[in-house]
């Protein structure tokens, strides 16, 4: 039997690496993409391979149409199939700036990377998935969007990030509705405060907030928390739950009195 193949965008560090590791443990072959040249991620790729999986690394800016096309072509050439797409790559604004000060340039960069790129990568991947389903009724795959609690929690010093993640949330619903006739579920995984390079600059702030009860579970999230959630979705443990949001936030968004 051929092994299943997953793409994890931004899969060489942080949450994406946690997802890639969890999928590798579950027997997926992997394509991971990111902004760095192959030499810079060689050690990480070797570590993933050591989990017993075939790994293809493709340098790819998901905000760039030609780079997305190349990514999918390379997956076709290497594996000839695609079962799971995890849209994880994302950026925070280069500078956190108050809504009254933030620039349109930052807005465009964040929206293109976090929303437009994944939206159109999903479009192209979905077309391929539909082809596979039509060729083989037993084929099953899914699409997972990594959003953020910022899809619903307003931060006035990174409005563009919040808007991009709210957009990812609607994109999940749209693609879920569109791909339902092919039984291709689309899910949103919504992490909370997670220890990665993205949050390293605000570590002290969140150490204090978490100690003061920001989350119900009083610790930082780790990439493996999101990895395990994605793996459960990818291996088909939630087959009749398309369009749903899986919270991975330690209860941060739980309403409390
Ligand atoms: P990170 O900065 O540690 O890693 C991001 C990865 O994405 C890197 O490998 C980077 O190379 C890649 N990447 C960035 N821009 C890219 C682009 N244009 N094309 C391709 N790859 C690109 O970030 P992280 O904390 O691991 O975040 C991963 C995802 O999780 C993001 O979508 C982020 O918004 C989301 N998220 C993070 C947190 C958190 O607290 N860290 C919370 C909620 C959601």
């Amino acid at each position: 039997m051929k092994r299943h193949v997953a793409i994890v965008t931004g899969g060489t560090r942080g949450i994406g690496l946690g997802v890639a590791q969890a999928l590798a443990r579950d027997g997926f072959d992997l394509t991971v993409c990111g902004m760095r040249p192959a030499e810079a991620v060689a050690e990480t790729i070797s570590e993933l391979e050591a989990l017993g999986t075939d790994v293809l690394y493709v340098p790819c800016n998901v905000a760039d149409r030609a780079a997305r096309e190349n990514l999918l072509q390379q997956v076709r050439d290497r594996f000839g199939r695609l079962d799971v797409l995890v849209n994880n790559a994302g950026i925070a604004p280069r500078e956190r700036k108050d809504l009254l000060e933030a620039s349109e340039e930052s807005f465009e960069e964040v929206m293109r990377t976090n929303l437009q790129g994944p939206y159109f990568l999903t479009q192209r991947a979905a077309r391929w998935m539909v082809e596979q389903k039509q060729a083989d009724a037993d084929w099953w795959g899914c699409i997972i969007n990594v959003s953020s609690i910022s899809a619903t929690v307003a931060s006035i010093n990174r409005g563009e990030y919040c808007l991009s993640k709210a957009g990812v949330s609607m994109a999940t619903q749209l693609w879920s509705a569109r791909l339902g006739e092919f039984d291709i579920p689309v899910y949103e995984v919504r992490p909370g405060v997670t220890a990665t390079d993205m949050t390293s600059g605000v570590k002290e702030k969140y150490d204090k907030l978490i100690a003061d009860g920001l989350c119900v579970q009083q610790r930082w999230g780790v990439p493996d928390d999101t990895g395990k959630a994605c793996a459960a979705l990818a291996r088909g443990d939630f087959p009749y739950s398309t369009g749903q949001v899986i919270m991975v936030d330690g209860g941060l968004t739980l309403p409390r009195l």
Side-chain angles (χ1 to χ4, degrees):
M1 240 179 64
K2 285 193 100 176
R3 284 159 59 90
H4 288 188
V5 174
I7 295 176
V8 183
T9 65
T12 58
R13 77 172 200 217
I15 289 175
L17 180 57
V19 173
Q21 288 165 336
L23 295 183
R25 289 196 297 265
D26 269 2
F28 280 87
D29 283 334
L30 295 173
T31 300
V32 291
C33 79
M35 298 291 280
R36 291 178 287 176
E39 310 81 75
V41 298
E43 200 176 319
T44 306
I45 299 303
S46 300
E47 284 165 13
L48 283 172
E49 286 167 343
L51 296 171
T53 187
D54 192 358
V55 187
L56 169 67
Y57 177 72
V58 183
C60 165
N61 177 355
V62 296
D64 181 290
R65 185 188 308 174
R68 292 192 299 269
E69 295 293 337
N70 175 57
L71 171 68
L72 289 176
Q73 189 57 51
Q74 292 216 34
V75 179
R76 275 185 195 273
D77 294 347
R78 171 78 160 258
F79 298 109
R81 66 183 293 154
L82 175 63
D83 301 281
V84 172
L85 168 65
V86 183
N87 282 309
N88 160 80
I91 53 170
R94 288 173 195 267
E95 278 184 86
R96 291 185 175 210
K97 280 202 170 169
D98 185 90
L99 294 190
L100 293 170
E101 309 296 335
S103 71
E104 288 200 36
E105 288 72 24
S106 177
F107 187 99
E108 283 170 6
E109 181 182 35
V110 169
M111 292 299 257
R112 197 170 311 208
T113 305
N114 292 2
L115 179 58
Q116 185 173 340
Y119 182 83
F120 285 102
L121 181 59
T122 296
Q123 181 194 61
R124 307 304 283 204
R127 288 187 199 170
W128 185 6
M129 288 182 176
V130 168
E131 276 169 30
Q132 292 176 107
K133 185 74 178 184
Q134 287 172 336
D136 173 8
D138 290 335
W139 177 89
W140 187 88
C142 70
I143 296 168
I144 301 168
N145 290 327
V146 177
S147 67
S148 166
I149 51 167
S150 299
T152 61
V153 177
S155 296
I156 56 170
N157 61 356
R158 48 185 177 137
E160 61 272 62
Y161 183 78
C162 297
L163 280 170
S164 72
K165 294 300 184 177
V168 168
S169 197
M170 175 49 78
T172 305
Q173 295 175 62
L174 288 165
W175 285 114
S176 166
R178 182 63 187 90
L179 299 176
E181 68 178 285
F182 307 104
D183 197 16
I184 300 173
V186 185
Y187 308 104
E188 177 186 346
V189 173
R190 203 179 277 180
V193 181
T194 307
T196 68
D197 288 342
M198 187 184 272
T199 46
S200 59
V202 284
K203 183 173 181 309
E204 277 178 22
K205 171 186 166 180
Y206 283 108
D207 278 347
K208 183 165 183 330
L209 286 171
I210 289 168
D212 290 346
L214 177 71
C215 309
V216 173
Q217 291 170 278
Q218 295 196 350
R219 66 166 174 86
W220 280 77
V222 292
D224 194 44
D225 293 324
T226 303
K228 283 182 170 138
C230 290
L233 298 168
R235 64 176 178 252
D237 287 356
F238 293 82
Y240 199 50
S241 301
T242 191
Q244 294 306 302
V245 180
I246 312 295
M247 302 302 302
V248 188
D249 70 347
L252 186 151
T253 51
L254 190 78
R256 281 171 283 167
L257 271 178

